[in-house]
Amino acid sequence: MPARPRINLIGAGAVGQTLGHLLARSGLCELQDILNRSPQKAQAAANFIGAGRAVATLQAMRPAEIWLLTVSDSLIATVAADLAQCDLPCATAIHCSGFLAAAEMAPLGAKGWHLASAHPVTSFADPATAVAQFDGSFCGLEGDSEAIARLTPLLTAIGARCFPVASEAKAIYHAAAVFCSNLTTVLQAIAAEAWAKAGVPATVSRDLQTALLTSTLANIRASGPQAALTGPAARGDTDLVRRQQAEVAAWHPQAGEVYQSLSAMAARLKQTGQTE
């Protein structure tokens, strides 16, 4: 691979724009061609990145050492299959799905390409904001060793904190992020609704929620989940758990089911250090 590998970008959304901008700015690679279903969006991405040539078709893309597929998960296999049909020299292909493994691009692997997935664990709602906040972001890497070896120095140079993910457990890895962030947010919404049901003023509940979350996170970071866990299930107060679960279920049936399941896991976690 040349000292400054050429990178082609397929998919000009927020992830593609952010990574394209950061990689081009690093000076370690050449952002070459950009393809998107919307030619206007491809050009807008080139303008934001400050490098690259917007193209209208896959066939118009020139050979490159690295192909970055920042398309939606449902399109990765299709784009890889279409790319495999092109008369191109073998290269490294990377997608950015948190759920799918690099093997989703199997048609390219069958042609001798090296495959990897890179999942930056950060928000890409707005490319400009993502660029400003990217430094220090964690990034899960999975795939064949040569692809990861080519990719790691580039990602590290733009501020990523890279770590390995087992290919066979990619879906579970992504579920961990969902539990850690998305579903935790849902639990906070349930808590806010429950406090409102109990007559707690919204201004109080917001500050109460912040205080509880801050102390909980500090305890988890200091001691780990098992030691940090408190509450009736952790104490083994099964009668209180049963009665409280009934009250929650009467108010919010789905929340009652969640309370029951999480309380059972909380009891096991406190006793054994594991939830399963």
Side-chain angles (χ1 to χ4, degrees):
M1 178 178 289
R4 293 183 72 246
R6 296 166 295 177
I7 297 182
N8 281 347
L9 176 64
I10 301 179
V15 176
Q17 290 184 48
T18 301
L19 295 180
H21 180 92
L22 291 168
L23 289 167
R25 190 174 72 182
S26 75
L28 297 177
C29 54
E30 176 190 349
L31 202 294
Q32 183 176 247
D33 294 333
I34 303 171
L35 175 66
N36 195 76
R37 284 183 292 184
S38 165
Q40 293 79 13
K41 193 165 185 178
Q43 185 58 56
N47 295 340
F48 175 80
I49 292 169
R53 178 189 70 153
V55 298
T57 66
L58 189 60
Q59 290 70 26
M61 301 187 85
R62 293 165 289 180
E65 286 71 45
I66 297 174
W67 292 71
L68 187 57
L69 279 57
T70 54
V71 297
S72 64
D73 286 16
S74 61
L75 292 177
I76 291 172
T78 300
V79 171
D82 290 343
L83 191 54
Q85 294 301 312
C86 297
D87 184 20
L88 290 164
C90 291
T92 296
I94 301 148
H95 73 63
C96 294
S97 169
F99 177 75
L100 298 171
E104 189 74 3
M105 302 179 292
L108 290 171
K111 301 271 288 189
W113 288 47
H114 293 287
L115 309 178
S117 69
H119 177 236
V121 190
T122 188
S123 173
F124 289 95
D126 172 67
T129 303
V131 165
Q133 297 178 345
F134 188 85
D135 189 38
S137 295
F138 286 92
C139 187
L141 301 184
E142 169 273 331
D144 70 60
S145 58
E146 185 163 343
I148 290 175
R150 290 176 177 176
L151 181 60
T152 301
L154 295 176
L155 290 174
T156 300
I158 63 173
R161 299 173 64 181
C162 298
F163 61 93
V165 176
S167 297
E168 66 276 11
K170 187 73 184 291
I172 296 298
Y173 152 79
H174 189 255
V178 172
F179 278 116
C180 185
S181 178
N182 308 123
L183 297 186
T184 297
T185 302
V186 176
L187 291 177
Q188 299 317 305
I190 294 172
E193 292 165 13
W195 275 319
K197 177 70 174 178
V200 178
T203 53
V204 174
S205 70
R206 283 196 294 270
D207 290 344
L208 175 57
Q209 192 168 43
T210 299
L212 279 173
L213 284 170
T214 300
S215 62
T216 298
L217 178 59
N219 291 337
I220 291 172
R221 286 176 60 87
S223 307
Q226 182 181 21
L229 184 64
T230 62
R235 294 194 304 268
D237 194 339
T238 55
D239 182 60
L240 190 154
V241 170
R242 178 185 58 78
R243 292 168 60 192
Q244 186 158 261
Q245 190 275 332
E247 292 288 338
V248 173
W251 160 65
H252 189 324
Q254 281 187 301
E257 294 174 7
V258 171
Y259 181 94
Q260 186 174 40
S261 295
L262 291 181
S263 292
M265 284 188 275
R268 288 196 295 271
L269 174 61
K270 198 64 177 181
Q271 292 169 4
T272 70
Q274 301 289 325
T275 61
E276 58 181 349

